Amino acid sequence: MKNKVLSFFFHKLYLAFTSPLFYIVALIVDFVCSINFFFGKNFFGGAGSTNLYYFFVTIPYISILLVPILCIKSTGSSYDDFVPVSRLQIIIANWLSIFVQYVLILLPLVFVPFCVNLFGTVDFGQVFTSFIMIILFGLAACSIGIFFYYIFPSNTLSFIFTSLCLGITNILHFLTEYITNSNFISFVVKLFSFSWHFNSASKGILDSRDVVYFITISFVFVFVTFIFSEKKMGKKLSSESKICNILLLLICVFTLLNSNKYYFRFDFTLDKKFTVSNYSKSLLKESDDFINITYYRSSVLDSLYPQVRDVDDLLKEYSNYGKILYKVDNPEKDNSAVTLKNY
């Protein structure tokens, strides 16, 4: 069975690599991403920077069209139902073959940081974490694409809905600029916005919360695709199967929620910008008096900027050393902060 699944997986890759469309799309994607950074951001005109943030954030926008194109059903897809492997294995093989194509198309872009490094100093820690998060985004994006292409029989409808879904994840963070007083909108943005989950990686921090988020989203969409596919084939699920499916989805939800409570961060920056230095640790441990740190964070600020989380994480790390009392206050509700502001 294992050999049959691998054969099916490699067959899908063979169909992709023998199609001129794959190479045309790859050239266009790599060209647009590179040109946008070097010329769109006026890199050679004096306004250039070795900070590659704007280079990496271009890739998800390109993916709005790239992923749906890779997911387009080939002429041989109608024979997938007759392959002697399970429905779930077929879906996973299709998903991973699309993901491999996605990664291979982006692979030539690894040369961009090395080219930029010729004109300055590139923080390759930032490059590493950014590429990791782009790859994880691609994993989730391909699972979304697979979902819509199994739901809709038409390539056109699947293309539209996949592009729409990926487009929303890329522009969702702009919503908080216009709706600033809604806790629900803030929650939705933090949960689904790519920009929000990419922020830490763009600075050289690999955060387990963001890793768990993309992996969980990938699993959920692949699993839901399998359930819809089974229903589409007319198969009825037993009560035990329904209970198992619900439990699996609940596990995913609780995993996602608990990832914000139990997490770890790795600072890959060259000079460890976002880590408490050894000198600071020794100073804090030598302090005989308690140090009070109050982080005033309004609800508006919290909903607008993902950097707020990084500040909170760093201050929490400081509180682990020495006699530090750390708390977060909302200045809109703290009377002393309001008084000080008015004064």
Side-chain angles (χ1 to χ4, degrees):
M1 181 65 72
K2 184 179 178 181
N3 291 332
K4 291 179 180 179
V5 175
L6 286 175
S7 297
F8 178 73
F9 169 73
F10 286 118
H11 174 68
K12 286 294 180 180
L13 288 179
Y14 172 79
L15 291 177
F17 296 152
T18 54
S19 170
L21 179 63
F22 173 81
Y23 301 97
I24 293 172
V25 170
L27 287 172
I28 292 174
V29 168
D30 294 336
F31 179 79
V32 170
C33 289
S34 302
I35 291 298
N36 179 69
F37 177 73
F38 286 113
F39 295 98
K41 301 302 176 184
N42 199 21
F43 182 81
F44 298 108
S49 170
T50 55
N51 188 328
L52 293 163
Y53 173 79
Y54 290 107
F55 165 68
F56 285 108
V57 295
T58 303
I59 298 175
Y61 286 104
I62 294 292
S63 299
I64 294 173
L65 296 178
L66 172 60
V67 171
I69 290 174
L70 294 178
C71 290
I72 289 177
K73 298 183 183 74
S74 64
T75 53
S77 297
S78 57
Y79 296 102
D80 288 358
D81 296 334
F82 303 100
V83 178
V85 294
S86 70
R87 170 61 50 178
L88 181 60
Q89 290 172 327
I90 289 175
I91 292 171
I92 292 174
N94 275 316
W95 168 48
L96 292 180
S97 67
I98 293 168
F99 173 64
V100 169
Q101 295 172 55
Y102 180 86
V103 172
L104 290 177
I105 285 174
L106 299 182
L107 190 60
L109 294 177
V110 300
F111 292 105
V112 171
F114 291 99
C115 293
V116 174
N117 196 55
L118 298 174
F119 300 92
T121 303
V122 170
D123 190 332
F124 281 96
Q126 176 202 29
V127 173
F128 172 73
T129 54
S130 296
F131 267 121
I132 289 293
M133 208 52 60
I134 288 294
I135 289 172
L136 289 175
F137 166 79
L139 189 70
C142 291
S143 70
I144 293 171
I146 281 291
F147 171 73
F148 285 115
Y149 275 85
Y150 268 88
I151 294 300
F152 298 109
S154 166
N155 275 330
T156 303
L157 283 175
S158 304
F159 187 98
I160 292 172
F161 276 91
T162 303
S163 298
L164 185 62
C165 186
L166 295 179
I168 289 173
T169 63
N170 278 284
I171 65 172
L172 194 61
H173 60 285
F174 292 119
L175 193 60
T176 55
E177 295 181 13
Y178 303 98
I179 305 175
T180 58
N181 297 318
S182 173
N183 291 330
F184 175 74
I185 294 297
S186 177
F187 171 78
V188 170
V189 170
K190 290 179 182 179
L191 186 61
F192 295 109
S193 169
F194 167 76
S195 177
W196 207 275
H197 290 284
F198 180 69
N199 177 70
S200 293
S202 69
K203 293 181 289 191
I205 303 170
L206 192 61
D207 196 308
S208 65
R209 288 167 289 189
D210 302 321
V211 173
V212 169
Y213 167 77
F214 283 116
I215 292 176
T216 304
I217 290 296
S218 302
F219 176 81
V220 167
F221 271 97
V222 170
F223 185 67
V224 173
T225 301
F226 167 67
I227 294 174
F228 271 94
S229 179
E230 289 287 278
K231 289 191 68 176
K232 198 173 180 179
M233 295 289 292
K235 295 183 179 179
K236 293 184 178 180
L237 298 176
S238 63
S239 299
E240 291 81 3
S241 296
K242 290 179 181 179
I243 292 172
C244 287
N245 292 341
I246 293 171
L247 287 176
L248 281 173
L249 291 176
L250 285 175
I251 288 172
C252 290
V253 172
F254 285 120
T255 299
L256 203 57
L257 293 175
N258 282 305
S259 67
N260 290 315
K261 187 176 181 181
Y262 306 102
Y263 62 90
F264 54 86
R265 300 160 71 247
F266 292 109
D267 183 0
F268 283 93
T269 55
L270 293 176
D271 51 1
K272 303 299 178 185
K273 298 176 185 177
F274 306 99
T275 303
V276 179
S277 67
N278 291 329
Y279 182 69
S280 296
K281 292 176 185 178
S282 62
L283 283 178
L284 292 171
K285 288 179 180 179
E286 291 172 4
S287 175
D288 296 326
D289 301 322
F290 281 96
I291 301 172
N292 293 302
I293 299 178
T294 303
Y295 180 22
Y296 288 103
R297 187 176 69 193
S298 68
S299 57
V300 176
L301 183 70
D302 190 33
S303 65
L304 281 175
Y305 303 105
Q307 294 88 343
V308 167
R309 188 182 74 174
D310 297 328
V311 175
D312 183 49
D313 290 337
L314 186 60
L315 291 176
K316 282 180 180 177
E317 188 177 351
Y318 267 103
S319 67
N320 293 328
Y321 306 99
K323 299 177 180 179
I324 294 180
L325 301 175
Y326 170 63
K327 66 176 181 177
V328 179
D329 273 352
N330 187 341
E332 298 167 348
K333 298 178 181 179
D334 191 299
N335 292 329
S336 61
V338 172
T339 303
L340 182 61
K341 179 182 177 181
N342 294 332
Y343 180 77

